[in-house]
Amino acid sequence: MNLYCQSVFQQMDMAIDSVLQMIGTLREEDLAFRPTANKMSVGELLAHLAVLCEADYLIGAGASEEEMDLFYVQSEPAMNCKALQHALTMHYAALKQGIAGLSDEELFTHTTAFWGGVHSRFEWLLDTQAHFYHHRGQLHAMLVHSLKHDPGVRLFE
C-alpha cells in the first residue's frame, strides 16, 4: 500500500476504534434516541457511520447513483449494537482492501462522482477520513450533550 495511504489508515484505525468503543458503551435503547426532530437518531447515525467507508470508496470508484442506492439497501445493518460494530468493521476492511489494491497511478487518477464531484482516488480517501471524523464528532456530541452519556473514549492520540 502507498505510504501516504498507510498514514491515513493509521489515523482512521484510531477513529474506527473509538467509534467501536462508543458503541460498546451504549444500551440498545440508546439507539432510538433522537436529540433533534427530523434529524438522525443515535442508531441512524451509527448505521451511516457503519457503511460510510465502503460507500465513499465506491463513490470514488465511480459507482452510479443507482448502484449506490442498491448498496445502501443491501448494506443497512440491523439496529443493534453488535450488528453496528460488525458492519463498521466489515465496511472499513472493504475500504482498506480496495485502496491497498490500487497502484500509485490509480491513486492519483481523477474520478467523477455521480453528482459531478471530481477528485483523485487519494483525495476521495482523504474526503472519507474527513466525512468519518465529522460524523464521529456528531456522535460524541449527541452522546455527551443530549443523551448525557460520556463514553470516556479518546478521540485523538
Side-chain angles (χ1 to χ4, degrees):
M1 180 186 302
N2 174 290
L3 184 61
Y4 298 113
C5 293
Q6 288 177 23
S7 295
V8 171
F9 282 120
Q10 277 187 308
Q11 299 304 308
M12 286 286 295
D13 288 347
M14 197 264 186
I16 297 291
D17 186 56
S18 66
V19 172
L20 291 170
Q21 288 178 46
M22 281 191 255
I23 296 169
T25 70
L26 297 175
R27 300 167 302 165
E28 298 298 330
E29 56 267 23
D30 294 335
L31 300 177
F33 181 72
R34 184 180 312 275
T36 306
N38 300 318
K39 296 294 181 182
M40 286 191 252
S41 69
V42 169
E44 289 165 346
L45 180 57
L46 283 167
H48 179 66
L49 276 164
V51 301
L52 182 155
C53 291
E54 186 172 4
D56 282 7
Y57 173 78
L58 294 171
I59 290 166
S64 69
E65 186 172 10
E66 295 77 21
E67 289 169 324
M68 291 310 303
D69 289 343
L70 182 60
F71 169 80
Y72 289 123
V73 168
Q74 293 176 340
S75 301
E76 185 173 345
M79 196 53 68
N80 67 70
C81 293
K82 290 285 183 207
L84 290 163
Q85 287 173 317
H86 175 74
L88 175 56
T89 302
M90 182 183 74
H91 291 289
Y92 180 54
L95 169 68
K96 286 178 92 169
Q97 181 180 357
I99 293 296
L102 298 176
S103 67
D104 282 358
E105 183 178 330
E106 290 168 317
L107 270 173
F108 295 102
T109 297
H110 285 79
T111 61
T112 303
F114 63 83
W115 66 82
V118 179
H119 295 298
S120 71
R121 297 297 297 278
F122 182 71
E123 290 169 322
W124 284 117
L125 176 60
L126 295 176
D127 191 57
T128 300
Q129 181 185 33
H131 188 187
F132 193 87
Y133 272 56
H134 164 72
H135 288 307
R136 182 182 68 151
Q138 284 183 317
L139 173 65
H140 190 265
M142 286 169 77
L143 298 181
V144 171
H145 300 295
S146 297
L147 197 57
K148 306 299 184 207
H149 169 72
D150 186 347
V153 173
R154 287 182 36 201
L155 298 181
F156 298 96
E157 292 180 316

